[in-house]
Structure formats: C-alpha cells, structure tokens
Amino acid sequence: QDYRLGIGITYIEMNVGNVKEVDRRGFDLTTPYRIFSFSADSDQEKEEWVEAMQQSIAEALSNSEVAERIWAVESNRFCADCGSPKPDWASINLCVVICKRCAGEHRGLGPGITKVRSLKMDRKVWTEELIEVLAQTDPESPFGFQPPFVPTQAAGETTEGSGCSPRSHRAPSTAGGLAPLFPPPPLPREPSASPAALPQALCVAVTTSDLAETQALLFCGAAVTCATGDPQCPTPLALAEKSGQRLQMEFLLHNRTSGRAGLASTVLCRAEFSRRWCTLQDGVLSYYENDRNAVPNGEIKVEEMVCLVNNPPHAHGIESTFELYTESERLYLFGLESPDSAREWLKSIAKSFVHPSAEELLALDFERIGRLHYKGGLNLEQAKEGWFALAGSALHVSCRDGERQDPLQLRKLQELCASFPGGPVAGFGGWLIPPAEAGVAGRTLYIQGERKLDFLGWVHAIQKAAGSAGDTLSEQQLTESDVPLLVDRCIDYITQCGLTSEGIYRKSGQNSKTTNLLEMLRRDARSVRLKEGEHQVDDVANTLKRFFRDLGDGLFTGRWGPDWLRTTALEDEEEKIGEYRRLLSTLPTVNRATLKALINHLFRVQRFSGENQMNTHNLAIVFGPTLFQTDGKDYKAGRVVEDLISHYVKIFNVNDQEMKKQQDEIMAIMKMREAASSGKQQAGDFICTVYLEEKKTEAEQHVKIPATMTAEELTFEILDRRKIVMKEKDYWSCFEVNEREEAGR
C-alpha cells in the first residue's frame, strides 16, 4: 500500500552515496550506514538507473558558486574547444573552460598535458587566485590561447563522433610529437622574446602583473624551472613569490609538472610547502594542521614505507628536504630549516622501518635507503628481499637472512643497464656487474623493483653515482685497478691501433672531434666503445692529452708537483730513483695507479720508436707540460717524464713476469695487425665447451665461437641445438669461467 501511495521506506542523502554494478542486472548503492542492493528487469533499465543515480550524486556534491563566478566572463560561458554553452569543467593549467565531453578528451591526453577539474565538485582546488587566473584568461581576447593537444598520429581523430563543432583557436608551439587539436590561425599576441631569450624573459615577466605575457612565454617553450641566476630565488616561481605576484604563482604552480617541452619539473619552492606538525610514535608518522590539533591530517604507517631519500641542500628552496616513498606509490616531501633536525628525522624514520638485520646501514651517511628485491650469483631463479643504502658512490646491501655483501663501488662497475618490461604486473629490473677482484669471482647483481615510482628513483640515483662526478682523478669512473676508465679506454685503443702510427701524440687530432669524444668519455666512459675506422688514432691521443691537461689538481697533485720537479736536479741516478719511488708512495691511490698505467703505456710506445718516430725524449717533450700543466718553458717537467719512462722497471717495481706478459700482449697485437694488413683471416675463432644448466658430459656442447659473437647469440645457439623453445618469462644467463675457475662473469 505504501508503494501504491508513493510513500518511501527510507530517505537517502545522495551526496554520501556511491553506485557500483555487481552483476548483469544488479547494482548497489553504498552509504556510510548501509548498502542498498537493487535488481532491474532489463539491462537497459539497469543502465538508466545507474546513470540517473550517478547524475544525482554529482548534483548533490556540486556547488555552482565557482562556476557562476567564472561564467561572469562572457567568453567563459562557452566551451573553449567546441563552443557548447555553460561548460562546467576546466583545464586548470591551460586556463580554459570546457564541457563534459571535451573534458573526457582532455583526460585522455593525461595530466602531463592538461589537468582537468570540475567547476562544481572539486571545491578544494578552486582558490581565489585560480578563479582570478581563469577570469583574466579570455579566449576571445587578442591573447587567445586555446591549447588542447593530441599525439600527432591521432590529430583530428579525437573529435570524431563527439558532437562538438570545432571553432578556430590558437595552440602553443608544438614539440615532442604533439600537434594542436584544430588548425590554429595566427596568434595576435606573440611572446615578446626570441626562443633563445625565453628563459630570461620569463624571469622578468613573473615579477610583473602581466599574466598574459607569462602564459605566452610558457606555452611557447620557456621552462618553468629555468635557472634565474639568483641563488635566493632559483626558479621563476620563487621570483614570483618574492615579488608578491599571487596570480603568477598560481599559474606557475599548476604548470610545474606539465609534459610539454620546457615545462617538466621536479623542483619545488618554499611557496609549495604547507607547514605541518609531525610526530613519529607507535610505528606511525602523523602530520597535523598545528600542534594544538588532536586529529591528524594524515598518517603513514612504518610498514608501508619502502624508501627514504635525503636530498641535497636547498634542492627545493628549503635548507634540508627528504622524500618518503610508500607501498601505495605515494611520495611525501618534507622540509626543515635546520640540517641537524633533518638529520635526526632521517635517522629516526629510517630506524623505524628498516629491518633490524640491516641496522648497520643506519650508521652510513646515506643519500637513499630502502627495500628492494635482488638476484645474485649463479642463482637467478628466486629473488631475495634486501635492504639497500646508497652512500656516495658505494651501494651497500644487507639481507634479512644475515648474509653480508661487500659494498658495490659503483664507479668501478663493468656494466650497468636498466630494463623495464611491460605487462600487467609491475616488474622492473636493472643489472649491476661489478669487476672481478683479486682471488674473488666477479658477480652479477640483478635488482628488482615492484613499484615504479621509487624504483625509477633508485635507477637514476645509481646511474648518477656510477658516473663521473668531477674533474679530479678520484671522481672518475674507474677500472678494478683504480685507473680512470677514460684513460684505460684511450690507452687500450692506441695500444691496439696506434703503436706504430708515425708521430703518435706529437700530431694533433681534429679539435672538434677531440672535444666531442672527451665530453662523451667524461659523461659516461663505460658506454663508449672506441672502434677502428670510427675513431682516428690522433683524435684519441689528443683526447688523452687534453684530459690530463684539464685535470683538477693535476696527476702529480699541487702539493707534491714541485717536489717531483726538484728531483731532476739530483745527479746520482740511484738516489734519484729512490726519491721518485718515495714521491710515488705519497700520491693518492688513484693518482699512483694512473701514473703507472700511463708510463707503462709510454714505455711500450717508445719501444716502437723505429716505426712511430717517438722515442723517450720526444714523448717527454709532449707529456711533460701536459702532466704538470705548465706552458712548456720549464724543461724539468719533461725531464721527470723522461726519467720515469727510462727507469720504469725500477721505479714501479715491475717484475719479470709482468714484463713478459706485456711483451706477449704486444706480440699478439702485432701479429693480428700483420694478418689484417696482409688480407689473411684474423685469429679469433675458437672451439669452446659449453654446458647447459649443469657441468656434466651429457650436457656439454662444443661450439665454434667467432670473435664477434655475443653472449646472447651464444645462448640462442645452444638452445636451438637442444631444441629448447624460449617462453615469455624464461630467463637464460650465460656465464664465462676461466680454466682454473678462479674468475667468472
């Protein structure tokens, strides 16, 4: 009877409801106090009810105050893309008002291009400043920006079947494979600066009230994080804050993470931080509006924490900042004015979430610490959980089972690569291949991340720590014998291709090629492969000389350099050799190893002086001023180098075994080059025994391996012989072990 009379059994406030489909004709309306289940007679009826309820919820949550204020500007009463009346959505970084249908198109472009918000429902985002920004950006004014973007290959396709009638408008300059949604007419208001001057013009514009000029500069390529040249205000946002330009700050804030060229940013300024009162107790990090509030704004449980990062000073406009990553792929950024307080917070938070078995990591002055999975050694089937800490250029690893790992010296890695396989499961990985140490087989370490956000941070941090960090020897990428990889690459190439080259080191290579090669090697020598035909001997030789001439503090160091020069005055040869040996022992480890490697190389070069015309004296004339970084007028620099080459065996304690090894290497290189020049087949192919999975007779294969065969090609060769089909998630590894099984890779 109540149904027939139209009397309801309950009253539901739709602003607290949520609709969810449960089966073909059923759906639930969930409220904080009860779940109501409904069943429709047909699929169509269910869809109509669900759509009606969702619309009702949207209306119940909406507030038209913001929309009415923005619609007060005549041009904002129509969708910027299609012209539909009363649009109730907006792109807050592009400063345009759009209809519901066009908002869907914008969402498809991603938040890196356009950030879509509702005028009626997203109440928190609509600050007074943002409302004023949209009110001042008039699409019908001479400024006239309307900048929605789609990928180039999809340009023009997005509007098919949308019911929108495009109107002409201006899009910002395109870059990176993006094109305007509609063909734009010329823009009457162009930025007042050339492309090269955009950053400087932006820094000036943000200190004024001319918001249109800032928008023109930013949309046409100026970087929101461009350098200002002011240490106190390193970004345009900081300049706007200092100048009290509220609207400029609001516009820059919403564009700091846009994906267009020149707008990418991970740097914040003081204005973007909110002051909060924080506590860490009972395994929970809580943050409050102030110290009088009893209810926290938010909480982070220690079991959810996976990574903690200590940022460099003033990284975000505040003295000290640190980042906290959680299991749910969230990043929290905290800042403090006191470095001591920041250090205490870092240690306290790290101690709360790092496993007790990895407590030794807490004593490190770490830049990044957290939990990751890894595989190592010969067992790559199952990943272990470990705790990692990055301190300087060393990566420390601690396992839950108590197993201790020696720190990985990242600048000494043989190889470093990262892979990010696709698929529905978040799995990422990177290979770290340390060098083989004396008496210990080198190992391969495969680090896995289950969360993309914090793992990408690990990858970038490890890549940075594994690269060269400055212009001194100790800051370079190194070989296992502590020689800069740049020096080793050049010496190795010249030994193989240039020992008999006439005038080696005396002739100058092409300046532009030398500059480019030196820049590449300094950036990442590990990834550079010098190849005959691609690189000229004189260019490589010139690169090596320029590296030593530009070296910070020099090879002999500023402290000990004068003592080396004074030693040339000693008349007694044995006394002179003894003094050189004493000075050699005072050099830093990397300098000492580098000097030995270089003099060893020059000792080899002068042994071919009959062909290359570079005897000991000639080499000393070239390298004396280079190594001591002088103008060449002081003959003592050349005398030092000449003495070191002449007495190489005694000064560097080279034994007969080392000399024989060097001689054998030189003979092998010369034979290969003679074979190549005579047109005969070069040596290199050899027969090798390869074992599949286990070292047993029935598992062995004899394979002819050319010098150019890669480990991947060898693996596929063996699998093909045994008729083993590779599956999608199969991992096969190839290990090379020397005859006595003393070293492997």
Side-chain angles (χ1 to χ4, degrees):
Q1 186 176 356
D2 288 343
Y3 171 73
R4 288 195 294 271
L5 294 175
I7 302 174
I9 59 174
T10 187
Y11 176 80
I12 304 173
E13 291 281 358
M14 296 302 285
N15 63 339
V16 296
N18 180 45
V19 182
K20 181 180 178 182
E21 298 184 37
V22 293
D23 55 38
R24 184 178 175 186
R25 296 183 181 178
F27 60 94
D28 289 346
L29 177 61
T30 304
T31 67
Y33 48 86
R34 189 174 176 184
I35 298 177
F36 299 89
S37 297
F38 299 91
S39 180
D41 292 335
S42 66
D43 294 348
Q44 182 179 354
E45 186 180 16
K46 187 197 82 168
E47 290 176 4
E48 291 173 353
W49 271 103
V50 169
E51 184 177 356
M53 286 189 174
Q54 288 174 339
Q55 183 66 29
S56 177
I57 292 171
E59 291 175 359
L61 292 172
S62 66
N63 185 325
S64 298
E65 180 184 352
V66 171
E68 294 294 343
R69 291 180 61 184
I70 291 177
W71 290 340
V73 178
E74 177 68 26
S75 56
N76 284 339
R77 296 177 188 175
F78 302 93
C79 173
D81 284 350
C82 69
S84 298
K86 288 200 171 183
D88 51 4
W89 293 82
S91 172
I92 60 174
N93 64 312
L94 302 181
C95 305
V96 292
V97 184
I98 50 181
C99 66
K100 182 178 180 180
R101 189 181 296 275
C102 291
E105 304 287 358
H106 276 247
R107 282 199 195 92
L109 303 176
I113 301 295
T114 172
K115 301 174 183 177
V116 180
R117 298 292 185 271
S118 171
L119 299 182
K120 297 181 177 179
M121 291 184 286
D122 295 319
R123 302 179 190 179
K124 290 185 178 180
V125 76
W126 292 107
T127 61
E128 284 296 321
E129 290 79 5
L130 182 56
I131 294 173
E132 288 185 50
V133 168
L134 260 78
Q136 286 194 19
T137 307
D138 183 358
E140 301 300 335
S141 72
F143 174 53
F145 281 128
Q146 297 300 331
F149 283 82
V150 295
T152 302
Q153 62 269 24
E157 300 173 1
T158 315
T159 58
E160 291 182 7
S162 64
C164 300
S165 57
R167 59 175 180 164
S168 296
H169 57 260
R170 169 72 160 90
S173 62
T174 61
L178 299 176
L181 184 60
F182 306 124
L187 175 65
R189 171 70 179 268
E190 295 288 351
S192 60
S194 64
L198 287 177
Q200 184 179 358
L202 178 64
C203 293
V204 174
V206 297
T207 61
T208 70
S209 58
D210 191 353
L211 181 63
E213 175 68 6
T214 299
Q215 291 172 320
L217 292 165
L218 206 63
F219 287 143
C220 290
V224 78
T225 55
C226 64
T228 64
D230 184 353
Q232 301 299 321
C233 301
T235 64
L237 185 56
L239 284 176
E241 179 186 5
K242 181 180 179 180
S243 304
Q245 298 297 332
R246 298 178 303 111
L247 302 190
Q248 299 276 17
M249 289 173 60
E250 189 72 18
F251 176 69
L252 293 172
L253 280 168
H254 291 297
N255 276 283
R256 68 184 186 273
T257 56
S258 298
R260 297 186 305 278
L263 292 181
S265 170
T266 55
V267 180
L268 308 181
C269 75
R270 181 187 298 272
E272 299 174 73
F273 285 85
S274 300
R275 186 173 292 275
R276 294 289 182 265
W277 180 265
C278 300
T279 63
L280 178 62
Q281 57 184 8
D282 301 327
V284 179
L285 175 62
S286 307
Y287 49 96
Y288 302 79
E289 192 72 30
N290 53 58
D291 58 351
R292 296 184 299 276
N293 282 34
V295 180
N297 287 23
E299 295 180 339
I300 311 171
K301 297 179 180 178
V302 295
E303 56 265 26
E304 297 174 352
M305 302 176 186
V306 295
C307 185
L308 184 64
V309 180
N310 183 17
N311 290 320
H314 301 287
H316 297 286
I318 292 182
E319 175 71 23
S320 302
T321 57
F322 62 88
E323 301 169 9
L324 184 61
Y325 295 79
T326 66
E327 288 272 11
S328 57
E329 297 255 24
R330 295 196 66 181
L331 165 61
Y332 297 84
L333 180 61
F334 297 87
L336 298 97
E337 290 294 354
S338 167
D340 293 336
S341 298
R343 213 163 13 249
E344 289 180 19
W345 272 102
L346 274 169
K347 294 294 185 182
S348 299
I349 295 174
K351 188 174 181 179
S352 69
F353 83 93
V354 172
H355 194 270
S357 64
E359 280 187 347
E360 74 274 6
L361 300 181
L362 301 178
L364 301 170
D365 186 17
F366 59 82
E367 300 159 26
R368 179 179 291 264
I369 189 169
R371 170 164 45 93
L372 293 165
H373 287 81
Y374 74 96
K375 302 174 184 179
L378 299 176
N379 183 15
L380 295 177
E381 296 179 0
Q382 188 171 1
K384 303 177 185 177
E385 184 178 83
W387 291 90
F388 290 74
L390 182 62
S393 61
L395 182 65
H396 301 257
V397 187
S398 182
C399 311
R400 282 201 171 185
D401 56 12
E403 180 186 353
R404 291 291 180 266
Q405 301 271 358
D406 292 331
L408 295 177
Q409 300 301 324
L410 297 178
R411 290 200 187 120
K412 290 189 176 183
L413 294 183
Q414 288 184 355
E415 187 176 344
L416 171 64
C417 61
S419 58
F420 303 92
V425 180
F428 310 93
W431 291 102
L432 298 173
I433 305 180
E437 299 174 359
V440 181
R443 66 186 188 276
T444 299
L445 188 66
Y446 181 72
I447 299 176
Q448 281 184 315
E450 297 178 347
R451 299 157 301 276
K452 187 172 184 178
L453 185 63
D454 70 287
F455 186 71
L456 282 175
W458 276 107
V459 170
H460 295 151
I462 289 173
Q463 287 174 335
K464 182 179 179 181
S468 298
D471 61 356
T472 63
L473 281 175
S474 61
E475 294 174 308
Q476 308 302 309
Q477 294 173 323
L478 302 173
T479 66
E480 57 185 296
S481 55
D482 290 316
V483 177
L485 202 54
L486 183 154
V487 174
D488 184 72
R489 287 273 196 268
C490 293
I491 287 178
D492 184 60
Y493 178 81
I494 293 171
T495 300
Q496 293 189 47
C497 306
L499 285 179
T500 59
S501 177
E502 184 176 345
I504 182 69
Y505 289 118
R506 188 181 68 241
K507 292 181 179 179
S508 296
Q510 292 187 29
N511 188 56
S512 59
K513 291 185 177 181
T514 298
T515 301
N516 292 336
L517 181 57
L518 183 58
E519 184 179 338
M520 289 169 55
L521 287 166
R522 276 180 171 160
R523 189 185 309 120
D524 185 12
R526 191 180 294 112
S527 63
V528 178
R529 296 290 183 268
L530 299 176
K531 298 179 181 179
E532 190 172 10
E534 293 183 17
H535 302 91
Q536 300 302 314
V537 169
D538 291 331
D539 294 334
V540 177
N542 211 33
T543 298
L544 183 63
K545 290 190 296 181
R546 188 179 296 184
F547 170 75
F548 281 115
R549 178 169 285 281
D550 298 342
L551 198 60
D553 199 34
L555 178 60
F556 294 97
T557 74
R559 177 183 177 185
W560 298 106
D563 290 355
W564 285 86
L565 296 174
R566 281 193 293 268
T567 304
T568 60
L570 297 176
E571 295 182 1
D572 185 80
E573 288 296 313
E574 290 302 321
E575 184 182 357
K576 184 188 294 186
I577 292 172
E579 182 62 13
Y580 280 137
R581 293 178 65 174
R582 186 191 69 80
L583 290 172
L584 184 65
S585 66
T586 63
L587 291 178
T589 302
V590 178
N591 295 56
R592 187 165 59 250
T594 305
L595 180 59
K596 180 178 180 180
L598 177 63
I599 300 301
N600 171 42
H601 170 63
L602 298 181
F603 181 77
R604 294 184 181 190
V605 172
Q606 60 87 28
R607 296 186 68 175
F608 290 87
S609 58
E611 291 88 352
N612 59 37
Q613 307 301 314
M614 293 300 290
N615 57 27
T616 302
H617 181 69
N618 291 339
L619 289 172
I621 291 174
V622 172
F623 274 93
T626 297
L627 300 183
F628 283 94
Q629 301 175 335
T630 64
D631 57 7
K633 295 179 180 179
D634 188 351
Y635 72 92
K636 295 177 184 177
R639 283 289 302 277
V640 171
V641 175
E642 189 169 355
D643 288 342
L644 292 176
I645 299 174
S646 300
H647 303 293
Y648 164 68
V649 175
K650 289 185 177 181
I651 293 175
F652 294 94
N653 287 324
V654 181
N655 56 40
D656 293 339
Q657 186 177 357
E658 285 185 74
M659 289 298 295
K660 185 178 184 305
K661 181 181 177 182
Q662 292 179 19
Q663 184 64 31
D664 291 343
E665 289 177 358
I666 293 174
M667 293 301 296
I669 292 170
M670 297 310 297
K671 285 182 179 179
M672 289 177 62
R673 297 195 65 79
E674 287 174 8
S677 61
S678 64
K680 297 178 182 178
Q681 184 178 359
Q682 292 189 34
D685 293 4
F686 63 96
I687 305 298
C688 181
T689 302
V690 180
Y691 296 93
L692 181 64
E693 295 188 311
E694 52 186 349
K695 191 175 180 181
K696 293 183 178 179
T697 305
E698 58 269 21
E700 70 179 21
Q701 292 283 323
H702 298 287
V703 185
K704 182 179 180 181
I705 301 181
T708 58
M709 177 177 275
T710 65
E712 181 182 24
E713 291 170 342
L714 175 59
T715 302
F716 283 124
E717 170 78 14
I718 296 299
L719 294 179
D720 186 55
R721 288 191 182 193
R722 300 301 289 267
K723 295 183 171 52
I724 297 176
V725 180
M726 279 278 288
K727 297 180 181 178
E728 184 179 355
K729 294 185 179 180
D730 280 356
Y731 291 93
W732 288 91
S733 300
C734 183
F735 292 91
E736 179 185 5
V737 184
N738 70 356
E739 187 177 0
R740 298 182 181 179
E741 299 188 3
E742 294 172 341
R745 60 172 180 166

